[in-house]
Amino acid sequence: MSRLFSAYVIVDWSAAAKPTTGADSVWIGVLKRDVRFRLTFESFNPATRQEAETKLAAILDDFKKRGERALVGFDFPLGFPSGFAKALSLPGEHPWRAVWDQIAKMVKDKADNTNNRFGVGSEINRRLTGGPFPFWGCPPRDTLTTLQPKRSREHGEGDLAEFRHADKAAKGAHSIWKLYYNGSVGGQAIVGIPAARRLKDARGDAARVWPFETGFKALTEADLEGVLVVITEVYPSLLKAVPAAGEVKDLAQVRAQAEHFAKLDEAGKLAALFAGPKASDEVLEAAATEEGWILGA
């Protein structure tokens, strides 16, 4: 089986509220083939999300000119727990897309990284429960009636789930409702989903979001005819990445993830990962339509 991709792009996102580089900032790792078809790795550490989005677009445009297909992995959730779209009364036949559109409509993310992720979480809490639930976590100065620094209560019967099925499968993944502190993937998702949406929409049908637009199946070349970008969710902590001397963990992780997928692809084994988990029809349906899944989990 021939490989599906020519390049592997892993994006370690950040919800930082000011320009920042180094640890806990945005890292883009690109593993691609040179003129001799040897895999070479390069990384970028833009100080802001806007710079990162511009750089990512330029990278993908370059691959497009060369007719090369890229796998793009974002390290934040691309979907919310099942029932989220319905609970917000969002219109449309595709819950994942309705959520993407709603988040993009609410988020204000400026060129200097100033963003309103806490305001977005607070407003969604207001619409869902009228109180500081299910989103939680913020600096004391951003405390509101509908958003508190600490979790106000546990998830119970009738609540949206604390974790997606993919989070449980990954083991150790944080909850998307967490907006602040270490592992605040909720904040990353709120400012990340609009970026993924713009990347997807700018490329139309030449970009597909897995599993929302592909379903769960072992992808073939025929499935990806005309497709130049496949957008996925990744969780770099699934792999053990050892930083080189003077290297931050984030950089080591994006490199290890890219190399892992490239190795599987070269061996004809990456396609099978897109078939998703061995799970019940109910879990697969939730993941494929709203929650999303972590590639390799």
Side-chain angles (χ1 to χ4, degrees):
M1 182 184 291
S2 61
R3 62 175 182 265
L4 293 175
F5 301 95
S6 298
Y8 313 85
V9 182
I10 306 299
V11 186
D12 184 354
W13 206 243
S14 167
K18 61 182 180 180
T20 183
T21 57
D24 301 321
S25 63
V26 177
W27 283 91
I28 302 173
V30 182
L31 191 64
K32 60 182 180 179
R33 289 175 172 81
D34 62 17
V35 292
R36 295 183 181 180
F37 298 99
R38 296 174 303 189
L39 282 170
T40 60
F41 179 79
E42 58 183 338
S43 64
F44 306 93
N45 185 210
T48 68
R49 284 179 294 277
Q50 190 172 101
E51 290 174 25
E53 195 173 335
T54 299
K55 184 63 181 178
L56 187 56
I59 291 168
L60 297 180
D61 286 346
D62 183 55
F63 290 143
K64 179 181 178 181
K65 291 176 184 176
R66 293 188 281 174
E68 297 181 348
R69 183 184 300 129
L71 174 68
V72 177
F74 287 106
D75 78 330
F76 55 79
L78 295 179
F80 284 75
S82 183
F84 183 64
K86 182 178 180 180
L88 286 176
S89 301
L90 302 182
E93 298 178 6
H94 304 289
W96 74 272
R97 182 67 205 209
V99 170
W100 278 32
D101 292 344
Q102 181 64 37
I103 296 293
K105 188 184 301 183
M106 298 175 76
V107 168
K108 301 292 186 292
D109 196 1
K110 298 181 180 179
D112 64 354
N113 265 1
T114 303
N115 64 83
N116 68 335
R117 68 189 187 279
F118 300 124
V120 171
S122 173
E123 174 58 19
I124 291 176
N125 279 350
R126 186 192 69 78
R127 297 183 189 184
L128 289 176
T129 66
F133 184 86
F135 279 113
W136 64 275
C138 64
R141 67 177 181 275
D142 291 299
T143 299
L144 295 166
T145 305
T146 49
L147 186 67
Q148 299 291 314
K150 301 295 182 181
R151 186 164 57 173
S152 60
R153 63 178 176 85
E154 299 290 332
H155 288 250
E157 187 176 347
D159 291 329
L160 292 169
E162 182 176 6
F163 296 99
R164 302 173 302 153
H165 292 96
D167 301 325
K168 295 176 182 177
K171 297 179 182 177
H174 292 269
S175 169
I176 196 170
W177 306 119
K178 187 179 181 182
L179 294 179
Y180 198 50
Y181 315 110
N182 291 335
S184 56
V185 294
Q188 293 178 26
I190 285 177
V191 294
I193 283 174
R197 177 179 178 271
R198 286 188 291 269
L199 185 155
K200 153 66 186 170
D201 289 355
R203 287 156 184 78
D205 290 338
R208 299 285 173 83
V209 184
W210 176 82
F212 300 137
E213 296 182 301
T214 64
F216 284 119
K217 60 183 295 188
L219 295 180
T220 65
E221 188 62 40
D223 294 323
L224 298 179
E225 184 177 356
V227 176
L228 291 174
V229 178
V230 175
I231 300 169
T232 67
E233 177 185 340
V234 298
Y235 184 46
S237 294
L238 288 175
L239 301 174
K240 184 177 180 180
V242 181
E247 199 176 61
V248 301
K249 180 181 179 182
D250 312 71
L251 172 54
Q253 286 187 320
V254 296
R255 183 179 62 245
Q257 187 82 83
E259 291 174 345
H260 174 67
F261 289 141
K263 184 177 181 180
L264 289 176
D265 203 9
E266 199 66 45
K269 297 179 179 179
L270 180 60
L273 289 190
F274 293 99
K278 293 181 180 179
S280 68
D281 290 343
E282 181 182 3
V283 169
L284 292 175
E285 175 70 13
T289 60
E290 184 166 14
E291 292 194 351
W293 198 262
I294 297 166
L295 189 62

